[in-house]
Amino acid sequence: MEKVNECGTRIYVDADACPVVGIVEKLARKYGIPVTLLCDTNHVLVSDYSEVKMIGAGADAVDYALIGLCHKGDIVVTQDYGVAAMALGKGACAIHQSGKWYTNENIDRMLMERHLAKKARRATKKNHLKGPKKRSREDDEHFENALDLLIQKVLSNKEI
């Protein structure tokens, strides 16, 4: 039987190498929100709670599939600023796996910073970035608190 909440809110996760899937599912269970995990065919995901959608491999295939599914009032979990911008454009809320909320007030700056950083890497011929630091328990706690608050705001129809 499908999980349903009064608002019709769903959570969509850009789940390729996403370290917070367990936290998302824990909070989704708490609030009765259905979750869809989207990943490409290079990743294998199994869940006893979420719907898992395997999307064909290809540049940005998962991103476009996620945006095609989400609607106003949904929550999108992604570390991709472009996906977040498109989700905001559809009236969805978006959150980074760090716990930072993407908003209409900060997304343009974030996209510009990403563009400038990529341009600088090209100029110095440094296309490879150092990976992120190891995720800590504090990182997980911060994300959980931020997502919990975002869910509460969405379900109560408060302005984000």
Side-chain angles (χ1 to χ4, degrees), residues 3-136:
K3 303 149 228 36
V4 179
N5 58 69
E6 295 109 34
C7 297
T9 297
R10 297 184 65 88
I11 299 176
Y12 294 95
V13 182
D14 183 355
D16 288 339
C18 180
V20 297
V21 169
I23 297 168
V24 170
E25 289 182 331
K26 173 183 161 185
L27 289 172
R29 275 187 174 99
K30 174 181 171 182
Y31 291 101
I33 301 172
V35 175
T36 301
L37 306 174
L38 291 95
C39 63
D40 66 28
T41 54
N42 295 317
H43 296 83
V44 177
L45 291 177
V46 178
S47 174
D48 64 349
Y49 183 82
S50 301
E51 174 185 12
V52 177
K53 287 192 177 279
M54 300 284 288
I55 309 300
D60 304 321
V62 169
D63 301 344
Y64 292 122
L66 188 155
I67 294 306
L69 292 170
C70 80
H71 296 91
K72 181 177 182 171
D74 288 333
I75 297 171
V76 172
V77 179
T78 184
Q79 59 183 339
D80 185 309
Y81 296 173
V83 172
M86 290 186 285
L88 292 173
K90 290 188 80 174
C93 296
I95 185 171
H96 188 277
Q97 65 191 28
S98 69
K100 181 167 184 66
W101 293 359
Y102 299 101
T103 66
N104 289 321
E105 289 71 36
N106 70 14
I107 195 66
D108 288 337
R109 177 186 49 78
M110 294 168 89
L111 289 167
M112 180 56 74
E113 288 170 356
R114 179 181 76 169
H115 170 72
L116 293 173
K118 187 173 186 177
K119 196 172 174 180
R121 283 192 308 277
R122 277 193 196 139
T124 61
K125 303 212 187 323
K126 275 189 160 182
N127 282 327
H128 182 70
L129 293 175
K130 185 179 174 184
K133 65 179 175 68
K134 186 172 164 79
R135 193 161 180 89
S136 69

Side-chain angles (χ1 to χ4, degrees), residues 74-75 88 91-94 101-105 149-160:
D74 288 333
I75 297 171
L88 292 173
C93 296
W101 293 359
Y102 299 101
T103 66
N104 289 321
E105 289 71 36
L149 183 58
L150 182 59
I151 290 170
Q152 290 175 40
K153 286 185 175 280
V154 168
L155 294 181
S156 66
N157 292 315
K158 289 186 180 169
E159 190 68 27
I160 307 296

